Structure formats: structure tokens, C-alpha cells
């Protein structure tokens, strides 16, 4: 396994692989890797000749009030996980390598970013789209892998790749969960033991809503009301949003029909966690 901290170094290696007729898979991360990231890495390794993992905490997707400075980091552990998994290259750049002095070009999307996390974090997806577009240009992968836990992000990046005629195929992979159901997240490390126990209420709400839909409920308000009641039963949990939207357009819906996304964001203590389920619903 190799590690590169410059754009030039990554480009030289990945272009060499592609000129040799080999395929490249890419897993962009902010580090502090866990089993969710590992599932993406394994998918890439299975489907490509070479796999690149980027580790970069992207400053421009954090608002001033958010946790950029305290975002958990452990490059040694990340490096060991990547090496044991069979990753070929880690891209580990400094912020000024990605955003050099004078940087002034950003990628902004309309529509898909108006609801859910885009509504409560209005600058977030401009930062995400900008860094992902740069990383895809740098690595030039055949396929890039993203988790369904960040379902809106997956939809946004898929749309961006389509709209900007990018050659990379965007692959969504299932959410990986703890034994008690909590979705794997680097931010879980922020939780105290009491908060960690409380956080399970999020996945309980998601599973409860999913069961209702599987049993034939098509009224979005009924599903959301049940999920909201489950979350509000936990004193340490505070809902940021809970919404039902079209899984492709991310527009709010009243009737669950077609491919739908039901997503939640919840503060447990000071930690904001997200979860969701996606369902294909007949009328």
C-alpha cells in the first residue's frame, strides 16, 4: 500500500494504472474509519483492480458552529485498516493541497439540496459537491462508493456526476449498523455512555417506520408521526428533522409512492446523527 499527500502523486499513479488497462475504485472519507467505511472498501476491492481511499476532513462543508476542529481523527488506525483490507493507495492531503491560496471555485446544486440536511445545514452540500468533484477529477476512478446512511448526499453526488458528465459510476452501499441497530458513524465517538444508549431510539424509529410501510401504510404523515413519537420518548434526543421525500428528487411527499426516502436527523446531547430507510412503494 502507498500513501500520497499530493495531487500530482495521486494522478501519476492512477493514470498509470488506467493506461495499463486496469480499473480504479475510490472511497472518499473523512477518516476515523469504521465498519461502514470498510464495507465500501471491500465493495471497491471486489469490483476493481485497484482501490484508492482518500482521508480528508473537508473544512468547507462545516459551518462555523459545527464540529470541524473537533472531528475525530486517527490516521494510524485508518492506515492499518486500509492496509489490512488491501487498499492500494491512501490519498491524505493537507487542506492547502486541496484548497490552495486563491481558491475561488465552488460547485452548487439546486433542488436536491433544499430539504433535509441541506435545509438545516445550508452551506453543507456546496462543500460536499466541491470536494467530491475535485477528488473525482484527481483520482479519475471508474467507480466511487458512498454509504446509504448519507442518502441525500448519495442522491446529490449521483445527480452531480450525471449533470457534469463525469465518467465515474457512483455506487451506493447499504448502511452498516451496530449490534443494537445504531447506524455506524464516526460521530458516534462523541457520545457518552448514557447518550450512546439513548441514541438507539433513532434506529428504533427508523425500523418502526419501515415496518409500517412494509405493512402497507402509504400516508407519509402517519409514518412520520409514529417515528416522531418514538424519538420524542427519549429525553436526550432532539429532532432536527424527520421527513418523507422522493428518493431521487428529494422533494417532500404526502403519499408514499414509488421509490421513497424517509430520513431523520437527531441531536443526542450535542451530537447530530442521521439515519433513514428507502422503500419502493406501490400505490
Amino acid at each position: 500500500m502507498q500513501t500520497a499527500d499530493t495531487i500530482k502523486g495521486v494522478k501519476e499513479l492512477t493514470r498509470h494504472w488506467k493506461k495499463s488497462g486496469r480499473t480504479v475504485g475510490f472511497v472518499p472519507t473523512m477518516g476515523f474509519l469504521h465498519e461502514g467505511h470498510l464495507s465500501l472498501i471491500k465493495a471497491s476491492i471486489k469490483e476493481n483492480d485497484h482501490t484508492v481511499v482518500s482521508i480528508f476532513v473537508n473544512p468547507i462543508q462545516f459551518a462555523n458552529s459545527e464540529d470541524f476542529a473537533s472531528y475525530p481523527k486517527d490516521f494510524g488506525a485508518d492506515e492499518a485498516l486500509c492496509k489490512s483490507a488491501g487498499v492500494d493507495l491512501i490519498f491524505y492531503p493537507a487542506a492547502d493541497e486541496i484548497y490552495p491560496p486563491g481558491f475561488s471555485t465552488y460547485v452548487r446544486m439546486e433542488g436536491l439540496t433544499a430539504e433535509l440536511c441541506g435545509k438545516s445545514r445550508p452551506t453543507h452540500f456546496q462543500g460536499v459537491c466541491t470536494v467530491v468533484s475535485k477528488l473525482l477529477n484527481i483520482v479519475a476512478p471508474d467507480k466511487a462508493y458512498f454509504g446509504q446512511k448519507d442518502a441525500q448526499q448519495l442522491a446529490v453526488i449521483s445527480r452531480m456526476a450525471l449533470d457534469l458528465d463525469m465518467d465515474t459510476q457512483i455506487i451506493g452501499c447499504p448502511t452498516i449498523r451496530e449490534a443494537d441497530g445504531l447506524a455506524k458513524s464516526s460521530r458516534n465517538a462523541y457520545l457518552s455512555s448514557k447518550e450512546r444508549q439513548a441514541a438507539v431510539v433513532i434506529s428504533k424509529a427508523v425500523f418502526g417506520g419501515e415496518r409500517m410501510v412494509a405493512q402497507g401504510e402509504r400516508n407519509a404523515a402517519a409514518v412520520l408521526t409514529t417515528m416522531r413519537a418514538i424519538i420524542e420518548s427519549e429525553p436526550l434526543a432532539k429532532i432536527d428533522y424527520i421527513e418523507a421525500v422522493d428518493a431521487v428528487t428529494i422533494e417532500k411527499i404526502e403519499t408514499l409512492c414509488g421509490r421513497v426516502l424517509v430520513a431523520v436527523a437527531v441531536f443526542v446531547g450535542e451530537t447530530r446523527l442521521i439515519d433513514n430507510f428507502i422503500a419502493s412503494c406501490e400505490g
Side-chain angles (χ1 to χ4, degrees):
M1 185 180 73
Q2 301 183 59
T3 299
D5 59 7
T6 66
I7 293 169
K8 180 181 178 181
V10 173
K11 283 187 171 183
E12 286 178 350
L13 187 53
T14 59
R15 271 53 171 188
H16 169 72
W17 289 337
K18 297 195 78 172
K19 285 180 181 177
S20 301
R22 287 171 278 181
T23 57
V24 177
F26 178 45
V27 181
T29 82
M30 294 205 299
F32 211 68
L33 305 182
H34 51 67
E35 287 88 344
H37 299 108
L38 183 59
S39 71
L40 306 181
I41 292 169
K42 287 180 176 178
S44 177
I45 289 172
K46 181 179 180 180
E47 297 180 2
N48 301 278
D49 297 317
H50 295 285
T51 290
V52 180
V53 173
S54 65
I55 297 175
F56 178 64
V57 183
N58 178 34
I60 69 169
Q61 70 187 62
F62 292 79
N64 290 335
S65 60
E66 294 179 339
D67 58 339
F68 172 68
S70 61
Y71 195 85
K73 303 176 184 68
D74 189 343
F75 180 72
D78 293 345
E79 186 178 38
L81 183 148
C82 288
K83 186 174 183 179
S84 65
V87 169
D88 297 284
L89 173 65
I90 294 176
F91 181 33
Y92 185 49
D96 60 3
E97 179 71 9
I98 300 297
Y99 306 116
F103 183 87
S104 57
T105 303
Y106 299 87
V107 179
R108 181 174 62 86
M109 181 177 291
E110 299 178 351
L112 274 71
T113 61
E115 299 293 339
L116 307 181
C117 287
K119 187 174 184 178
S120 60
R121 305 176 69 191
T123 63
H124 175 69
F125 282 114
Q126 177 172 288
V128 170
C129 288
T130 300
V131 76
V132 172
S133 64
K134 283 182 65 71
L135 290 170
L136 294 179
N137 283 332
I138 293 164
V139 178
D142 297 279
K143 297 179 179 180
Y145 298 80
F146 297 84
Q148 184 182 298
K149 179 178 73 70
D150 299 286
Q152 185 178 19
Q153 173 179 276
L154 176 59
V156 165
I157 290 169
S158 297
R159 185 76 234 183
M160 179 184 74
L162 177 65
D163 288 350
L164 300 184
D165 303 304
M166 294 178 171
D167 292 330
T168 301
Q169 182 181 0
I170 305 301
I171 308 293
C173 297
T175 300
I176 303 299
R177 298 183 179 276
E178 304 280 0
D180 61 5
L182 182 67
K184 294 272 188 180
S185 171
S186 299
R187 287 187 169 92
N188 291 350
Y190 295 151
L191 301 170
S192 68
S193 59
K194 191 173 182 179
E195 289 169 344
R196 174 62 184 79
Q197 292 176 357
V200 178
V201 76
I202 302 170
S203 55
K204 286 181 178 178
V206 167
F207 298 155
E210 194 169 27
R211 281 193 299 272
M212 290 180 70
V213 174
Q215 291 166 2
E217 181 60 69
R218 294 295 179 264
N219 184 288
V223 174
L224 299 180
T225 296
T226 297
M227 293 175 64
R228 180 177 294 274
I230 294 171
I231 295 170
E232 289 179 342
S233 70
E234 171 50 63
L236 294 179
K238 180 182 177 183
I239 295 172
D240 181 9
Y241 67 74
I242 175 168
E243 300 287 355
V245 299
D246 181 282
V248 177
T249 65
I250 316 296
E251 294 177 345
K252 286 185 182 181
I253 53 177
E254 295 181 359
T255 301
L256 305 181
C257 184
R259 189 164 171 80
V260 302
L261 165 66
V262 179
V264 301
V266 178
F267 285 94
V268 180
E270 299 296 320
T271 303
R272 184 179 183 275
L273 301 174
I274 61 174
D275 203 346
N276 65 78
F277 69 89
I278 294 175
S280 295
C281 301
E282 297 180 359

